[in-house]
Short mmCIF file of all heavy atoms in Angstrom, two decimals:
data_model
loop_
_atom_site.label_atom_id
_atom_site.label_comp_id
_atom_site.label_asym_id
_atom_site.label_seq_id
_atom_site.Cartn_x
_atom_site.Cartn_y
_atom_site.Cartn_z
N MET A 1 15.97 -33.60 90.91
CA MET A 1 16.55 -33.08 89.67
C MET A 1 16.79 -34.28 88.68
O MET A 1 17.13 -35.37 89.05
CB MET A 1 17.82 -32.33 89.96
CG MET A 1 17.65 -31.08 90.65
SD MET A 1 16.75 -29.83 89.65
CE MET A 1 17.96 -29.51 88.39
N HIS A 2 16.65 -33.96 87.40
CA HIS A 2 16.95 -34.94 86.39
C HIS A 2 18.40 -34.75 86.03
O HIS A 2 19.10 -33.78 86.48
CB HIS A 2 16.09 -34.69 85.21
CG HIS A 2 14.61 -34.83 85.41
ND1 HIS A 2 14.06 -36.05 85.68
CD2 HIS A 2 13.63 -33.94 85.59
CE1 HIS A 2 12.78 -35.91 85.87
NE2 HIS A 2 12.54 -34.58 85.85
N HIS A 3 18.92 -35.67 85.26
CA HIS A 3 20.32 -35.71 84.95
C HIS A 3 20.52 -34.93 83.65
O HIS A 3 20.82 -35.59 82.62
CB HIS A 3 20.82 -37.10 84.90
CG HIS A 3 20.71 -37.78 86.15
ND1 HIS A 3 21.60 -37.55 87.23
CD2 HIS A 3 19.83 -38.78 86.67
CE1 HIS A 3 21.26 -38.31 88.27
NE2 HIS A 3 20.21 -39.02 87.89
N PHE A 4 20.43 -33.64 83.72
CA PHE A 4 20.75 -32.83 82.50
C PHE A 4 22.16 -32.50 82.45
O PHE A 4 22.79 -32.09 83.42
CB PHE A 4 19.95 -31.54 82.52
CG PHE A 4 18.49 -31.69 82.31
CD1 PHE A 4 17.53 -31.37 83.22
CD2 PHE A 4 18.01 -32.19 81.04
CE1 PHE A 4 16.17 -31.48 83.03
CE2 PHE A 4 16.62 -32.36 80.90
CZ PHE A 4 15.72 -31.96 81.86
N PRO A 5 22.76 -32.79 81.34
CA PRO A 5 24.24 -32.48 81.18
C PRO A 5 24.51 -30.96 81.12
O PRO A 5 25.65 -30.54 81.38
CB PRO A 5 24.62 -33.14 79.90
CG PRO A 5 23.35 -33.23 79.11
CD PRO A 5 22.24 -33.39 80.14
N ARG A 6 23.53 -30.17 80.70
CA ARG A 6 23.73 -28.74 80.52
C ARG A 6 23.30 -28.02 81.79
O ARG A 6 22.56 -28.55 82.63
CB ARG A 6 22.94 -28.23 79.32
CG ARG A 6 23.38 -28.86 78.02
CD ARG A 6 22.48 -28.42 76.98
NE ARG A 6 22.79 -29.06 75.69
CZ ARG A 6 22.12 -28.87 74.49
NH1 ARG A 6 21.11 -28.05 74.55
NH2 ARG A 6 22.45 -29.48 73.46
N PRO A 7 23.71 -26.76 81.97
CA PRO A 7 23.23 -25.88 83.04
C PRO A 7 21.69 -25.88 83.12
O PRO A 7 21.08 -25.67 82.08
CB PRO A 7 23.87 -24.55 82.73
CG PRO A 7 25.05 -24.87 81.92
CD PRO A 7 24.66 -26.08 81.06
N SER A 8 21.22 -26.01 84.30
CA SER A 8 19.74 -26.05 84.42
C SER A 8 19.03 -24.77 83.90
O SER A 8 17.91 -24.80 83.45
CB SER A 8 19.37 -26.24 85.93
OG SER A 8 19.85 -25.21 86.67
N GLU A 9 19.78 -23.70 83.95
CA GLU A 9 19.17 -22.41 83.56
C GLU A 9 18.76 -22.44 82.04
O GLU A 9 17.87 -21.81 81.66
CB GLU A 9 20.16 -21.25 83.82
CG GLU A 9 19.54 -19.86 83.53
CD GLU A 9 20.47 -18.76 83.96
OE1 GLU A 9 20.56 -18.64 85.20
OE2 GLU A 9 20.98 -18.10 83.17
N LEU A 10 19.48 -23.29 81.29
CA LEU A 10 19.19 -23.30 79.83
C LEU A 10 18.17 -24.44 79.49
O LEU A 10 17.78 -24.52 78.36
CB LEU A 10 20.50 -23.55 79.08
CG LEU A 10 21.51 -22.35 79.13
CD1 LEU A 10 22.80 -22.71 78.39
CD2 LEU A 10 20.85 -21.15 78.56
N THR A 11 17.92 -25.29 80.43
CA THR A 11 17.02 -26.39 80.13
C THR A 11 15.61 -26.19 80.64
O THR A 11 14.75 -27.07 80.53
CB THR A 11 17.56 -27.73 80.65
OG1 THR A 11 17.87 -27.52 82.04
CG2 THR A 11 18.89 -28.04 79.94
N LEU A 12 15.30 -25.07 81.27
CA LEU A 12 13.95 -24.79 81.71
C LEU A 12 13.05 -24.57 80.53
O LEU A 12 13.46 -24.07 79.51
CB LEU A 12 14.01 -23.48 82.52
CG LEU A 12 14.60 -23.56 83.96
CD1 LEU A 12 14.66 -22.24 84.60
CD2 LEU A 12 13.81 -24.58 84.80
N SER A 13 11.86 -25.04 80.70
CA SER A 13 10.84 -24.99 79.62
C SER A 13 10.14 -23.60 79.63
O SER A 13 8.98 -23.48 80.10
CB SER A 13 9.88 -26.05 79.73
OG SER A 13 10.46 -27.32 79.60
N VAL A 14 10.92 -22.57 79.30
CA VAL A 14 10.31 -21.28 79.30
C VAL A 14 10.41 -20.72 77.87
O VAL A 14 11.23 -21.16 77.09
CB VAL A 14 10.97 -20.33 80.32
CG1 VAL A 14 10.77 -20.83 81.66
CG2 VAL A 14 12.44 -20.12 79.95
N THR A 15 9.59 -19.70 77.59
CA THR A 15 9.63 -19.04 76.34
C THR A 15 10.78 -18.03 76.30
O THR A 15 10.87 -17.23 77.14
CB THR A 15 8.38 -18.32 76.03
OG1 THR A 15 7.26 -19.22 76.07
CG2 THR A 15 8.36 -17.64 74.68
N ARG A 16 11.65 -18.17 75.35
CA ARG A 16 12.82 -17.20 75.22
C ARG A 16 12.40 -16.21 74.12
O ARG A 16 12.05 -16.64 73.07
CB ARG A 16 14.07 -17.94 74.77
CG ARG A 16 14.61 -18.80 75.92
CD ARG A 16 15.99 -19.28 75.48
NE ARG A 16 16.25 -20.52 76.25
CZ ARG A 16 17.34 -21.28 75.94
NH1 ARG A 16 18.11 -20.96 74.97
NH2 ARG A 16 17.54 -22.38 76.68
N GLU A 17 12.45 -15.02 74.49
CA GLU A 17 12.05 -13.97 73.62
C GLU A 17 13.36 -13.31 72.99
O GLU A 17 14.15 -12.78 73.72
CB GLU A 17 11.28 -12.90 74.40
CG GLU A 17 10.89 -11.67 73.59
CD GLU A 17 10.18 -10.61 74.47
OE1 GLU A 17 9.88 -10.98 75.64
OE2 GLU A 17 9.98 -9.52 74.01
N PRO A 18 13.44 -13.37 71.67
CA PRO A 18 14.60 -12.86 71.02
C PRO A 18 14.69 -11.36 71.25
O PRO A 18 13.71 -10.62 71.27
CB PRO A 18 14.39 -13.13 69.54
CG PRO A 18 13.43 -14.28 69.47
CD PRO A 18 12.60 -14.07 70.73
N VAL A 19 15.89 -10.83 71.49
CA VAL A 19 16.06 -9.38 71.77
C VAL A 19 17.02 -8.91 70.74
O VAL A 19 18.09 -9.45 70.52
CB VAL A 19 16.71 -9.14 73.17
CG1 VAL A 19 16.95 -7.74 73.45
CG2 VAL A 19 15.72 -9.73 74.23
N ASP A 20 16.72 -7.71 70.14
CA ASP A 20 17.56 -7.06 69.19
C ASP A 20 18.80 -6.52 69.89
O ASP A 20 18.67 -6.03 71.01
CB ASP A 20 16.84 -5.99 68.50
CG ASP A 20 15.79 -6.52 67.54
OD1 ASP A 20 15.90 -7.65 67.08
OD2 ASP A 20 14.81 -5.79 67.23
N GLY A 21 19.86 -6.54 69.19
CA GLY A 21 21.06 -5.95 69.76
C GLY A 21 22.23 -6.97 69.80
O GLY A 21 22.11 -8.11 69.58
N LEU A 22 23.43 -6.43 69.93
CA LEU A 22 24.67 -7.17 69.91
C LEU A 22 25.14 -7.40 71.34
O LEU A 22 25.08 -6.53 72.15
CB LEU A 22 25.69 -6.48 69.09
CG LEU A 22 25.36 -6.23 67.55
CD1 LEU A 22 26.53 -5.50 66.91
CD2 LEU A 22 25.03 -7.57 66.88
N CYS A 23 25.68 -8.55 71.50
CA CYS A 23 26.34 -8.90 72.82
C CYS A 23 27.55 -8.05 72.94
O CYS A 23 28.39 -7.94 72.02
CB CYS A 23 26.63 -10.39 72.82
SG CYS A 23 27.62 -10.82 74.38
N PRO A 24 27.69 -7.35 74.03
CA PRO A 24 28.89 -6.47 74.26
C PRO A 24 30.16 -7.28 74.49
O PRO A 24 31.21 -6.75 74.40
CB PRO A 24 28.49 -5.64 75.50
CG PRO A 24 27.52 -6.55 76.28
CD PRO A 24 26.70 -7.29 75.21
N VAL A 25 30.01 -8.55 74.74
CA VAL A 25 31.18 -9.34 75.08
C VAL A 25 31.68 -10.04 73.77
O VAL A 25 32.88 -9.89 73.40
CB VAL A 25 30.85 -10.40 76.12
CG1 VAL A 25 32.04 -11.33 76.33
CG2 VAL A 25 30.51 -9.70 77.42
N CYS A 26 30.86 -10.82 73.12
CA CYS A 26 31.27 -11.53 71.93
C CYS A 26 30.78 -10.96 70.66
O CYS A 26 31.28 -11.38 69.55
CB CYS A 26 30.80 -13.00 72.06
SG CYS A 26 28.99 -13.23 71.85
N GLY A 27 29.96 -9.93 70.66
CA GLY A 27 29.62 -9.21 69.52
C GLY A 27 28.58 -9.92 68.60
O GLY A 27 28.31 -9.46 67.46
N ARG A 28 28.03 -10.97 69.02
CA ARG A 28 27.03 -11.73 68.31
C ARG A 28 25.62 -11.25 68.60
O ARG A 28 25.34 -10.75 69.69
CB ARG A 28 27.12 -13.24 68.61
CG ARG A 28 28.36 -13.85 68.06
CD ARG A 28 28.46 -15.30 68.32
NE ARG A 28 29.70 -15.94 67.94
CZ ARG A 28 29.78 -16.60 66.79
NH1 ARG A 28 28.76 -16.78 66.04
NH2 ARG A 28 30.89 -17.13 66.44
N GLU A 29 24.81 -11.37 67.61
CA GLU A 29 23.40 -11.03 67.80
C GLU A 29 22.57 -12.18 68.22
O GLU A 29 21.81 -12.75 67.45
CB GLU A 29 22.85 -10.43 66.43
CG GLU A 29 21.53 -9.71 66.60
CD GLU A 29 21.14 -8.98 65.28
OE1 GLU A 29 21.92 -9.11 64.27
OE2 GLU A 29 20.06 -8.44 65.28
N SER A 30 22.78 -12.60 69.45
CA SER A 30 22.05 -13.76 69.90
C SER A 30 21.54 -13.53 71.36
O SER A 30 21.63 -14.39 72.18
CB SER A 30 23.01 -14.93 69.86
OG SER A 30 24.17 -14.68 70.64
N LEU A 31 21.01 -12.35 71.58
CA LEU A 31 20.47 -11.99 72.90
C LEU A 31 19.08 -12.55 72.94
O LEU A 31 18.29 -12.46 71.97
CB LEU A 31 20.44 -10.52 73.11
CG LEU A 31 21.83 -9.81 73.06
CD1 LEU A 31 21.67 -8.30 73.29
CD2 LEU A 31 22.80 -10.38 74.03
N ALA A 32 18.72 -13.06 74.14
CA ALA A 32 17.41 -13.48 74.37
C ALA A 32 17.02 -13.22 75.77
O ALA A 32 17.86 -13.18 76.68
CB ALA A 32 17.27 -15.00 74.15
N ARG A 33 15.72 -13.02 75.99
CA ARG A 33 15.19 -12.60 77.32
C ARG A 33 14.23 -13.71 77.86
O ARG A 33 13.30 -14.08 77.08
CB ARG A 33 14.51 -11.26 77.27
CG ARG A 33 13.87 -10.82 78.63
CD ARG A 33 13.43 -9.36 78.51
NE ARG A 33 12.56 -9.12 77.33
CZ ARG A 33 12.43 -7.98 76.71
NH1 ARG A 33 13.13 -6.98 77.03
NH2 ARG A 33 11.66 -7.87 75.65
N TYR A 34 14.41 -14.15 78.99
CA TYR A 34 13.55 -15.15 79.54
C TYR A 34 13.65 -15.18 81.09
O TYR A 34 14.59 -14.77 81.69
CB TYR A 34 13.89 -16.59 78.91
CG TYR A 34 15.36 -16.83 79.04
CD1 TYR A 34 15.93 -17.56 80.10
CD2 TYR A 34 16.24 -16.39 78.06
CE1 TYR A 34 17.26 -17.88 80.15
CE2 TYR A 34 17.60 -16.73 78.07
CZ TYR A 34 18.12 -17.49 79.17
OH TYR A 34 19.43 -17.74 79.16
N PRO A 35 12.53 -15.71 81.65
CA PRO A 35 12.51 -15.78 83.11
C PRO A 35 13.34 -16.98 83.64
O PRO A 35 13.33 -18.01 83.07
CB PRO A 35 11.05 -15.91 83.51
CG PRO A 35 10.43 -16.58 82.30
CD PRO A 35 11.28 -16.20 81.11
N VAL A 36 14.00 -16.74 84.74
CA VAL A 36 14.67 -17.86 85.43
C VAL A 36 14.34 -17.76 86.92
O VAL A 36 13.99 -16.75 87.44
CB VAL A 36 16.22 -17.77 85.30
CG1 VAL A 36 16.63 -17.88 83.79
CG2 VAL A 36 16.78 -16.50 85.91
N VAL A 37 14.41 -18.88 87.61
CA VAL A 37 14.15 -18.89 89.05
C VAL A 37 15.44 -18.62 89.79
O VAL A 37 16.41 -19.43 89.72
CB VAL A 37 13.56 -20.19 89.43
CG1 VAL A 37 13.28 -20.21 91.02
CG2 VAL A 37 12.23 -20.48 88.70
N ALA A 38 15.50 -17.46 90.49
CA ALA A 38 16.63 -17.18 91.26
C ALA A 38 16.33 -17.32 92.74
O ALA A 38 15.17 -17.77 93.07
CB ALA A 38 17.07 -15.71 90.98
N GLU A 39 17.25 -16.94 93.56
CA GLU A 39 16.99 -17.03 95.03
C GLU A 39 15.78 -16.36 95.51
O GLU A 39 15.14 -16.75 96.41
CB GLU A 39 18.20 -16.52 95.77
CG GLU A 39 19.49 -17.30 95.47
CD GLU A 39 20.72 -16.71 96.15
OE1 GLU A 39 20.49 -15.74 96.94
OE2 GLU A 39 21.86 -17.02 95.79
N HIS A 40 15.54 -15.21 94.87
CA HIS A 40 14.41 -14.34 95.36
C HIS A 40 13.15 -14.58 94.54
O HIS A 40 12.21 -13.76 94.62
CB HIS A 40 14.88 -12.89 95.35
CG HIS A 40 16.16 -12.63 95.99
ND1 HIS A 40 16.41 -12.80 97.29
CD2 HIS A 40 17.34 -12.28 95.47
CE1 HIS A 40 17.65 -12.53 97.54
NE2 HIS A 40 18.25 -12.20 96.45
N GLY A 41 13.16 -15.60 93.70
CA GLY A 41 11.99 -15.81 92.92
C GLY A 41 12.27 -15.62 91.41
O GLY A 41 13.45 -15.68 91.06
N TRP A 42 11.26 -15.35 90.69
CA TRP A 42 11.44 -15.19 89.27
C TRP A 42 12.19 -13.99 89.00
O TRP A 42 11.96 -12.90 89.49
CB TRP A 42 10.13 -15.14 88.54
CG TRP A 42 9.41 -16.46 88.43
CD1 TRP A 42 8.42 -17.01 89.27
CD2 TRP A 42 9.73 -17.50 87.59
NE1 TRP A 42 8.15 -18.26 88.93
CE2 TRP A 42 8.82 -18.60 87.87
CE3 TRP A 42 10.56 -17.63 86.44
CZ2 TRP A 42 8.83 -19.77 87.08
CZ3 TRP A 42 10.54 -18.75 85.73
CH2 TRP A 42 9.74 -19.84 86.07
N THR A 43 13.15 -14.13 88.02
CA THR A 43 13.91 -12.99 87.57
C THR A 43 13.96 -13.05 86.03
O THR A 43 14.20 -14.13 85.40
CB THR A 43 15.39 -13.05 88.14
OG1 THR A 43 15.31 -13.05 89.50
CG2 THR A 43 16.23 -11.93 87.61
N ILE A 44 13.85 -11.89 85.43
CA ILE A 44 13.97 -11.80 83.97
C ILE A 44 15.35 -11.46 83.56
O ILE A 44 15.94 -10.50 84.09
CB ILE A 44 13.00 -10.67 83.41
CG1 ILE A 44 11.60 -11.12 83.54
CG2 ILE A 44 13.34 -10.49 81.95
CD1 ILE A 44 11.17 -12.27 82.67
N VAL A 45 15.99 -12.35 82.81
CA VAL A 45 17.33 -12.10 82.38
C VAL A 45 17.38 -11.88 80.92
O VAL A 45 16.66 -12.50 80.05
CB VAL A 45 18.29 -13.24 82.77
CG1 VAL A 45 18.41 -13.38 84.30
CG2 VAL A 45 17.84 -14.59 82.19
N THR A 46 18.23 -11.03 80.42
CA THR A 46 18.58 -10.85 79.06
C THR A 46 19.99 -11.34 78.87
O THR A 46 21.00 -10.80 79.44
CB THR A 46 18.49 -9.41 78.58
OG1 THR A 46 17.17 -8.97 78.83
CG2 THR A 46 18.81 -9.21 77.14
N LYS A 47 20.09 -12.39 78.11
CA LYS A 47 21.39 -13.15 78.13
C LYS A 47 21.80 -13.46 76.72
O LYS A 47 20.95 -13.83 75.84
CB LYS A 47 21.19 -14.42 78.95
CG LYS A 47 22.48 -14.90 79.55
CD LYS A 47 22.09 -15.92 80.64
CE LYS A 47 23.38 -16.28 81.44
NZ LYS A 47 23.08 -17.04 82.70
N CYS A 48 23.12 -13.40 76.46
CA CYS A 48 23.62 -13.90 75.23
C CYS A 48 23.56 -15.30 75.14
O CYS A 48 24.08 -15.99 76.02
CB CYS A 48 25.06 -13.30 75.01
SG CYS A 48 25.86 -13.92 73.62
N GLN A 49 23.02 -15.85 74.11
CA GLN A 49 22.93 -17.33 73.97
C GLN A 49 24.17 -17.93 73.49
O GLN A 49 24.29 -19.16 73.43
CB GLN A 49 21.70 -17.70 73.06
CG GLN A 49 20.46 -17.14 73.58
CD GLN A 49 20.09 -17.64 74.93
OE1 GLN A 49 19.79 -18.83 75.11
NE2 GLN A 49 20.17 -16.74 75.94
N THR A 50 25.12 -17.19 73.12
CA THR A 50 26.37 -17.68 72.59
C THR A 50 27.44 -17.88 73.64
O THR A 50 28.01 -18.88 73.86
CB THR A 50 27.01 -16.76 71.43
OG1 THR A 50 25.97 -16.66 70.46
CG2 THR A 50 28.31 -17.31 70.89
N CYS A 51 27.68 -16.73 74.44
CA CYS A 51 28.65 -16.80 75.48
C CYS A 51 28.06 -16.66 76.90
O CYS A 51 28.77 -16.74 77.84
CB CYS A 51 29.69 -15.64 75.30
SG CYS A 51 29.02 -13.98 75.69
N LEU A 52 26.73 -16.61 76.99
CA LEU A 52 26.01 -16.67 78.19
C LEU A 52 26.34 -15.41 79.10
O LEU A 52 26.12 -15.53 80.32
CB LEU A 52 26.34 -17.91 78.99
CG LEU A 52 25.95 -19.28 78.23
CD1 LEU A 52 26.19 -20.36 79.14
CD2 LEU A 52 24.52 -19.19 77.77
N HIS A 53 26.69 -14.34 78.50
CA HIS A 53 26.89 -13.15 79.24
C HIS A 53 25.55 -12.53 79.58
O HIS A 53 24.65 -12.39 78.70
CB HIS A 53 27.69 -12.10 78.40
CG HIS A 53 27.72 -10.68 79.00
ND1 HIS A 53 28.44 -10.39 80.09
CD2 HIS A 53 27.11 -9.56 78.61
CE1 HIS A 53 28.28 -9.20 80.42
NE2 HIS A 53 27.50 -8.67 79.52
N SER A 54 25.40 -12.17 80.89
CA SER A 54 24.10 -11.62 81.27
C SER A 54 24.11 -10.06 81.04
O SER A 54 24.88 -9.38 81.70
CB SER A 54 23.90 -11.86 82.74
OG SER A 54 23.67 -13.21 82.93
N VAL A 55 23.33 -9.65 80.08
CA VAL A 55 23.34 -8.18 79.73
C VAL A 55 22.48 -7.48 80.73
O VAL A 55 22.80 -6.32 81.09
CB VAL A 55 22.73 -8.04 78.29
CG1 VAL A 55 22.65 -6.53 77.93
CG2 VAL A 55 23.61 -8.81 77.29
N GLU A 56 21.35 -8.07 81.16
CA GLU A 56 20.50 -7.34 81.98
C GLU A 56 19.75 -8.28 82.93
O GLU A 56 19.39 -9.47 82.52
CB GLU A 56 19.45 -6.56 81.22
CG GLU A 56 18.54 -5.67 82.03
CD GLU A 56 17.59 -4.90 81.14
OE1 GLU A 56 17.80 -4.88 79.95
OE2 GLU A 56 16.70 -4.29 81.69
N ARG A 57 19.45 -7.85 84.15
CA ARG A 57 18.56 -8.66 85.10
C ARG A 57 17.57 -7.76 85.70
O ARG A 57 17.89 -6.68 86.09
CB ARG A 57 19.47 -9.26 86.19
CG ARG A 57 20.05 -10.65 85.80
CD ARG A 57 20.92 -11.10 87.01
NE ARG A 57 21.65 -12.30 86.62
CZ ARG A 57 21.19 -13.55 86.89
NH1 ARG A 57 20.01 -13.68 87.45
NH2 ARG A 57 21.85 -14.57 86.48
N SER A 58 16.42 -8.16 85.77
CA SER A 58 15.38 -7.38 86.39
C SER A 58 14.40 -8.28 87.14
O SER A 58 14.15 -9.46 86.70
CB SER A 58 14.60 -6.57 85.43
OG SER A 58 14.03 -7.40 84.38
N PRO A 59 13.93 -7.83 88.26
CA PRO A 59 12.99 -8.64 89.10
C PRO A 59 11.69 -8.86 88.38
O PRO A 59 11.31 -8.06 87.50
CB PRO A 59 12.79 -7.82 90.37
CG PRO A 59 13.21 -6.44 90.03
CD PRO A 59 14.26 -6.54 88.93
N HIS A 60 11.04 -10.01 88.64
CA HIS A 60 9.81 -10.31 87.98
C HIS A 60 8.76 -10.63 89.01
O HIS A 60 9.04 -10.94 90.14
CB HIS A 60 10.06 -11.54 87.13
CG HIS A 60 9.04 -11.75 86.00
ND1 HIS A 60 7.97 -10.85 85.87
CD2 HIS A 60 8.83 -12.70 85.15
CE1 HIS A 60 7.21 -11.25 84.89
NE2 HIS A 60 7.70 -12.36 84.36
N SER A 61 7.52 -10.42 88.65
CA SER A 61 6.45 -10.76 89.55
C SER A 61 6.42 -12.27 89.81
O SER A 61 6.86 -13.07 89.08
CB SER A 61 5.11 -10.34 88.96
OG SER A 61 4.78 -11.12 87.89
N PRO A 62 5.83 -12.64 91.04
CA PRO A 62 5.77 -14.03 91.40
C PRO A 62 5.03 -14.86 90.34
O PRO A 62 5.16 -16.07 90.23
CB PRO A 62 5.04 -13.97 92.74
CG PRO A 62 5.32 -12.67 93.31
CD PRO A 62 5.43 -11.70 92.07
N LEU A 63 4.11 -14.17 89.59
CA LEU A 63 3.26 -14.93 88.65
C LEU A 63 3.86 -14.64 87.28
O LEU A 63 3.18 -14.56 86.28
CB LEU A 63 1.86 -14.43 88.69
CG LEU A 63 1.13 -14.68 90.07
CD1 LEU A 63 -0.33 -14.21 90.02
CD2 LEU A 63 1.17 -16.13 90.36
N GLY A 64 5.16 -14.56 87.19
CA GLY A 64 5.81 -14.18 85.98
C GLY A 64 5.46 -15.11 84.77
O GLY A 64 5.19 -14.60 83.70
N SER A 65 5.52 -16.31 85.01
CA SER A 65 5.31 -17.31 83.87
C SER A 65 3.92 -17.14 83.34
O SER A 65 3.61 -17.24 82.17
CB SER A 65 5.56 -18.70 84.31
OG SER A 65 4.77 -19.02 85.41
N ILE A 66 2.96 -16.86 84.26
CA ILE A 66 1.54 -16.79 83.84
C ILE A 66 1.36 -15.48 83.03
O ILE A 66 0.69 -15.46 81.99
CB ILE A 66 0.55 -16.74 85.07
CG1 ILE A 66 0.73 -18.02 85.85
CG2 ILE A 66 -0.84 -16.41 84.67
CD1 ILE A 66 -0.18 -18.10 87.06
N THR A 67 2.08 -14.44 83.48
CA THR A 67 2.03 -13.10 82.73
C THR A 67 2.59 -13.36 81.30
O THR A 67 1.99 -12.83 80.31
CB THR A 67 2.83 -12.04 83.43
OG1 THR A 67 2.28 -11.92 84.76
CG2 THR A 67 2.74 -10.75 82.72
N LEU A 68 3.66 -14.09 81.25
CA LEU A 68 4.24 -14.30 79.91
C LEU A 68 3.35 -15.06 79.10
O LEU A 68 3.21 -14.74 77.88
CB LEU A 68 5.61 -15.15 80.11
CG LEU A 68 6.82 -14.34 80.40
CD1 LEU A 68 8.05 -15.27 80.39
CD2 LEU A 68 7.01 -13.30 79.34
N LEU A 69 2.63 -16.02 79.54
CA LEU A 69 1.70 -16.79 78.71
C LEU A 69 0.64 -15.87 78.20
O LEU A 69 0.28 -15.97 77.02
CB LEU A 69 1.08 -17.97 79.58
CG LEU A 69 1.94 -19.18 79.73
CD1 LEU A 69 1.24 -20.20 80.57
CD2 LEU A 69 2.22 -19.78 78.37
N SER A 70 0.09 -15.06 79.06
CA SER A 70 -1.09 -14.19 78.59
C SER A 70 -0.55 -13.19 77.63
O SER A 70 -1.29 -12.83 76.65
CB SER A 70 -1.67 -13.52 79.76
OG SER A 70 -0.76 -12.65 80.40
N ASP A 71 0.70 -12.74 77.68
CA ASP A 71 1.23 -11.84 76.77
C ASP A 71 1.37 -12.45 75.38
O ASP A 71 1.39 -11.82 74.35
CB ASP A 71 2.57 -11.32 77.26
CG ASP A 71 2.37 -10.26 78.39
OD1 ASP A 71 1.27 -9.86 78.51
OD2 ASP A 71 3.43 -9.93 79.03
N SER A 72 1.73 -13.74 75.38
CA SER A 72 2.02 -14.39 74.08
C SER A 72 0.79 -14.85 73.33
O SER A 72 0.86 -15.24 72.22
CB SER A 72 2.99 -15.58 74.36
OG SER A 72 2.30 -16.50 75.13
N VAL A 73 -0.31 -14.78 73.94
CA VAL A 73 -1.56 -15.25 73.29
C VAL A 73 -2.06 -14.23 72.36
O VAL A 73 -2.14 -13.09 72.77
CB VAL A 73 -2.66 -15.64 74.37
CG1 VAL A 73 -3.96 -15.88 73.60
CG2 VAL A 73 -2.23 -16.86 75.14
ZN1 ZN B 101 27.94 -13.00 73.89
#
């Protein structure tokens, strides 16, 4: 691991997809969806970028990052 001062979940080089809607916790419109590596593999999280509240979590395919790349082309 490198010496990142921030939580590793926020420093992954993944594409964050902006999500419409307000955070139910802090009320800000700063939701984003992106894949993270969890214990069971890739997981898609929708998370407030302001207070880091997890709005939604859903399992992702093992090739999640590749799928994301093809979707963005
Ligand atoms: Zn929030």
Side-chain angles (χ1 to χ4, degrees):
M1 289 296 291
H2 298 287
H3 296 286
F4 287 120
R6 297 177 184 175
S8 59
E9 186 171 291
L10 292 180
T11 53
L12 288 174
S13 299
V14 298
T15 301
R16 290 189 204 168
E17 179 183 347
V19 176
D20 290 334
L22 299 177
C23 173
V25 174
C26 69
R28 290 177 182 264
E29 192 174 359
S30 57
L31 302 180
R33 178 169 52 206
Y34 49 94
V36 299
V37 180
E39 298 175 9
H40 311 293
W42 285 99
T43 301
I44 292 289
V45 296
T46 301
K47 207 162 188 172
C48 173
Q49 301 301 289
T50 300
C51 70
L52 302 183
H53 171 70
S54 292
V55 179
E56 186 178 350
R57 271 178 189 269
S58 57
H60 198 1
S61 70
L63 300 179
S65 57
I66 296 179
T67 302
L68 273 186
L69 279 178
S70 62
D71 283 347
S72 64
V73 170

